[in-house]
Amino acid sequence: MSLFKIQDEIALIKQKKVPFNLEKEIQNLVERNLPVLFNLTFISHELTYGKLRLDTLAFDENLNTFVVIEYKNKADQGLSDQGFAYYSLFKNHPEFFVLKYNENKKPQISMNDVDWSKTRIIFVST
């Protein structure tokens, strides 16, 4: 996909792609800019539940729901499986997310404060 910059409100200037060598570089950039990019509040990162590792956990204050963000530096055939695993975690262990929120944010929330039907998973990739 090509990226462009608008110049003088009429011209598009093609931009050079800047590669990311590590997923962590993408993660750091996104986490520092969550409010601007996605209108989300940062909760935590590198969370582990069983065999799953969530790159970034965020909260959408407007929808009162959780968002998991996963970063990929290259093509990954198992991406949809990973998404389904996160979705299953939302459905089967919602208390995990509320606990992580309450460990990192004030005021605390309860299970009933979250709209679980609107949880999302965002994949960010080069």
Side-chain angles (χ1 to χ4, degrees):
M1 178 201 289
S2 297
L3 299 174
F4 297 89
K5 176 181 177 183
I6 300 172
Q7 182 177 348
D8 300 325
E9 298 181 20
I10 56 171
L12 294 177
I13 308 297
K14 191 168 185 176
Q15 298 296 293
K16 205 170 48 167
K17 290 184 182 181
V18 179
F20 289 94
N21 295 320
L22 302 171
E23 285 179 13
K24 191 68 176 169
E25 294 175 41
I26 302 168
Q27 182 175 357
N28 290 337
L29 182 65
V30 170
E31 285 180 352
R32 283 193 300 266
N33 294 284
L34 273 176
V36 174
L37 290 170
F38 300 115
N39 197 26
L40 298 174
T41 302
F42 175 80
I43 303 298
S44 189
H45 59 217
E46 306 301 330
L47 296 172
T48 303
Y49 189 94
K51 293 182 181 180
L52 292 177
R53 187 184 58 79
L54 292 72
D55 288 342
T56 301
L57 178 62
F59 195 77
D60 186 323
E61 304 283 346
N62 294 323
L63 298 176
N64 291 322
T65 199
F66 288 99
V67 179
V68 169
I69 304 174
E70 176 67 26
Y71 307 93
K72 294 296 177 196
N73 195 29
K74 56 186 177 231
D76 187 340
Q77 299 296 335
L79 204 56
S80 59
D81 291 338
Q82 197 169 8
F84 284 121
Y86 293 153
Y87 181 73
S88 177
L89 186 58
F90 277 129
K91 288 298 208 185
N92 297 320
H93 302 284
E95 69 281 354
F96 171 76
F97 298 98
V98 173
L99 175 65
K100 293 303 172 188
Y101 182 98
N102 289 340
E103 287 175 354
N104 293 288
K105 296 292 176 192
K106 299 281 186 226
Q108 294 191 340
I109 61 172
S110 71
M111 298 281 285
N112 294 332
D113 295 327
V114 179
D115 186 345
W116 297 100
S117 70
K118 294 184 179 160
T119 56
R120 295 190 315 256
I121 302 158
I122 298 173
F123 294 100
V124 177
S125 174
T126 56

